Amino acid sequence: MSSDAIVILREDHKRIKALFRRFAETGPRAETRRGELTAQILRELTVHTHLENEVMYPEVRRLVPDLEADILESYEEHHVADLLAAELANLPVSDERFVAKMTVLAENVTHHIAEEEDDWFPVVREALSRTQLQEIGQRMEQLRPSAPTQPSQPSALRRAVDAVIP
């Protein structure tokens, strides 16, 4: 796998979107399968957002000031996804709101992915050198094994985001 930060994030995006599709394809009585897929989705999202929040976003914010507003919006989109993920982690799969909540999470994350890939990844690719993108990617991959794998409580998430955004 490439160490290019954008390639790494696109690969994460592909895995997450595939998991959302598989969840959407489950039948109405597939609680066990939904539970398994939810655990995978929450794990992938939690790791991914941590890598972006801790490495990619601060670096892009520093190196590509034209994307400041996009980065701030992305932090907030992560916050919304983190809130939904934390709620899903604590909601029984049998709850009548479970599928609806997962659907909203999938819609929000899919929208966020499209904005990153279509709107600001091309700007980042143009603004940064291959070496810079590889260094950022290497830092993300070094952080991946120690990244949290379960959603945090919303107040802890908000403090983490507030600590990164002055």
Side-chain angles (χ1 to χ4, degrees):
M1 179 189 237
S2 172
S3 66
D4 179 294
I6 292 173
V7 172
I8 291 168
L9 295 176
R10 283 182 186 272
E11 288 299 317
D12 283 359
H13 292 168
K14 284 180 193 173
R15 281 193 309 277
I16 291 165
K17 290 189 302 187
L19 288 167
F20 280 135
R21 276 192 303 277
R22 287 174 38 205
F23 184 92
E25 292 167 358
T26 61
R29 299 192 183 270
E31 285 184 11
T32 301
R33 185 68 183 132
R34 283 185 184 148
E36 293 166 355
L37 287 167
T38 297
Q40 291 176 311
I41 289 166
L42 297 182
R43 184 173 37 256
E44 288 284 339
L45 273 178
T46 301
V47 170
H48 177 79
T49 58
H50 183 76
L51 298 178
E52 284 187 330
N53 288 347
E54 296 297 318
V55 181
M56 185 68 168
Y57 291 176
E59 285 300 306
V60 170
R61 191 171 185 209
R62 183 175 68 82
L63 297 168
V64 191
D66 289 347
L67 291 177
E68 174 85 10
D70 295 283
I71 297 300
L72 293 174
E73 181 180 333
S74 291
Y75 276 123
E76 294 307 320
E77 288 172 343
H78 278 191
H79 178 65
V80 170
D82 291 340
L83 290 171
L84 289 167
E87 290 176 6
L88 281 163
N90 293 304
L91 191 65
V93 178
S94 60
D95 189 286
E96 67 180 359
R97 299 169 300 149
F98 193 90
V99 172
K101 195 172 291 285
M102 180 61 81
T103 301
V104 170
L105 177 63
E107 289 170 352
N108 278 283
V109 169
T110 302
H111 167 81
H112 171 76
I113 287 171
E115 282 185 339
E116 282 186 348
E117 292 187 355
D118 298 340
D119 298 341
W120 64 267
F121 279 4
V123 176
V124 172
R125 171 99 37 224
E126 182 70 27
L128 301 184
S129 70
R130 183 179 185 147
T131 301
Q132 287 173 306
L133 287 168
Q134 288 175 340
E135 288 171 356
I136 293 168
Q138 288 168 356
R139 287 183 37 220
M140 287 191 310
E141 289 303 336
Q142 289 169 350
L143 183 60
R144 189 180 295 273
S146 63
T149 58
Q150 297 299 313
S152 299
Q153 294 304 314
S155 59
L157 291 169
R158 186 73 251 167
R159 284 192 303 274
V161 169
D162 289 343
V164 175
I165 301 174

